[in-house]
Amino acid sequence: MCEGQDGRTYAEFVRNRRNELLERIERAATSAGRSADEVTLLAVSKTVGIDEVRVAFDCGYRVFGENRPQELKRKVGVARTDPRLADARFDMIGNLQKNKINQVLGNAACIHSVSSKTLAEAIATRAWRRGLRVRCLLEVNVSGEQSKSGFSPDEVRDAAQAIMEMEGMAVEGLMSMAPASDPDAARRCFSGLRELRDELADRTGNPLPTLSCGMSGDFEIAVEEGSTLLRLGRIVFDPAFGNE
Ligand SMILES: *Cc1c(COP(=O)(O)O)cnc(C)c1O
């Protein structure tokens, strides 16, 4: 745990940054006629260790995100033996391969990255065998970038109903990642995600309340466009973010 350049401790940095983030979220929500209470701040802990997670927990974070099954399992294991991290929740936010599903089941509170119908089937089968119902989000590639995984909007239109009917699955909403460093494209991505959710909710009768979108560089736009779950990594944990 390093001292900041101006002598502040890391814990002070995380606490001050959190207060600043909550203010910015509040302002963005208000400007869009929303309540900031509708928005959960998930701290993406994939690049930090359990000590930084403890610091963040002490500052008020309760929801964490990991993108590698092994690391998620490891951190959840530590958290379960640490009474100070008792109500920490870890979500799986990264690409999930079928052979890693069992590491995530029973450990992740929610899987954000259900990116195809075959993956959904594989998760559902394993969950059902273990008597679990997995909370999950369908990841949609709204922007259509080649580099991004997820359902295309048409694929999710075709598959959503069937996935919602799978025994082992509790589909709670949609997730997306916006193109980096392009505010207009980010806004189109987030509003497209919301419109797709509204359409699917109408058609299926499942309200799909969760919209997981918004990262360090675009979270205020995401709040304005209806995000309920921001996934923030660098801006939460990295004192150098924004200074590069
Ligand atoms: C790393 C990651 C984030 C956080 O990105 P930052 O730009 O550091 O806020 C959010 N979502 C996913 C899926 C990620 O892999």
Side-chain angles (χ1 to χ4, degrees):
M1 215 106 322
C2 54
E3 294 272 309
Q5 276 152 336
D6 52 2
R8 290 186 308 158
T9 65
Y10 186 69
E12 283 175 85
F13 157 73
V14 174
R15 186 174 301 279
N16 291 336
R17 179 52 61 81
R18 177 174 161 87
N19 289 335
E20 181 195 319
L21 289 172
L22 293 178
E23 273 171 34
R24 288 171 63 179
I25 291 166
E26 173 85 43
R27 237 177 290 138
T30 304
S31 80
R34 303 184 65 208
S35 161
D37 297 344
E38 298 165 26
V39 184
T40 297
L41 210 181
L42 176 157
V44 177
S45 49
K46 65 187 182 191
T47 60
V48 299
I50 199 74
D51 290 336
E52 286 88 347
V53 169
R54 279 200 189 88
V55 168
F57 186 92
D58 288 343
C59 295
Y61 292 96
R62 291 295 176 271
V63 188
F64 298 89
E66 290 287 330
N67 66 343
R68 288 176 27 238
Q70 183 110 23
E71 180 63 10
L72 178 123
K73 190 178 169 193
R74 193 184 74 80
K75 284 200 179 92
V76 168
V78 176
R80 280 186 182 145
T81 61
D82 183 345
R84 285 181 51 216
L85 290 174
D87 50 345
R89 145 185 161 185
F90 288 84
D91 286 4
M92 176 63 190
I93 62 171
N95 244 344
L96 182 56
Q97 286 166 340
K98 275 188 216 164
N99 61 351
K100 303 282 173 66
I101 291 170
N102 281 326
Q103 297 189 8
V104 168
L105 288 183
N107 289 318
C110 176
I111 301 176
H112 294 221
S113 41
V114 177
S115 53
S116 70
K117 192 172 172 191
T118 50
L119 178 62
E121 277 160 354
I123 295 171
T125 306
R126 287 163 181 75
W128 181 80
R129 266 192 227 132
R130 294 170 60 166
L132 298 171
R133 196 143 182 269
V134 188
R135 297 170 56 193
C136 66
L137 308 175
L138 304 180
E139 179 175 358
V140 188
N141 182 355
V142 179
S143 66
E145 287 173 290
Q146 292 268 313
S147 59
K148 292 207 155 58
S149 52
F151 292 91
S152 72
D154 278 338
E155 285 168 348
V156 81
R157 286 183 181 99
D158 284 345
Q161 181 74 48
I163 296 172
M164 289 174 197
E165 286 169 7
M166 294 176 189
E167 294 262 6
M169 302 290 259
V171 182
E172 298 188 342
L174 305 180
M175 180 271 217
S176 193
M177 289 171 83
S181 324
D182 184 342
D184 292 336
R187 189 176 296 281
R188 281 196 298 278
C189 171
F190 301 143
S191 63
L193 190 71
R194 185 193 63 233
E195 285 162 12
L196 188 57
R197 186 275 307 277
D198 293 347
E199 179 192 327
L200 294 175
D202 264 359
R203 207 137 53 70
T204 64
N206 175 336
L208 299 169
T210 303
L211 287 178
S212 167
C213 62
M215 303 182 8
S216 292
D218 56 26
F219 69 93
E220 284 150 311
I221 302 172
V223 170
E224 288 166 11
E225 297 298 336
S227 173
T228 66
L229 193 46
L230 303 171
R231 305 183 312 271
L232 305 187
R234 293 167 299 160
I235 203 166
V236 169
F237 288 109
D238 182 0
F241 178 79
N243 302 334
E244 287 104 40

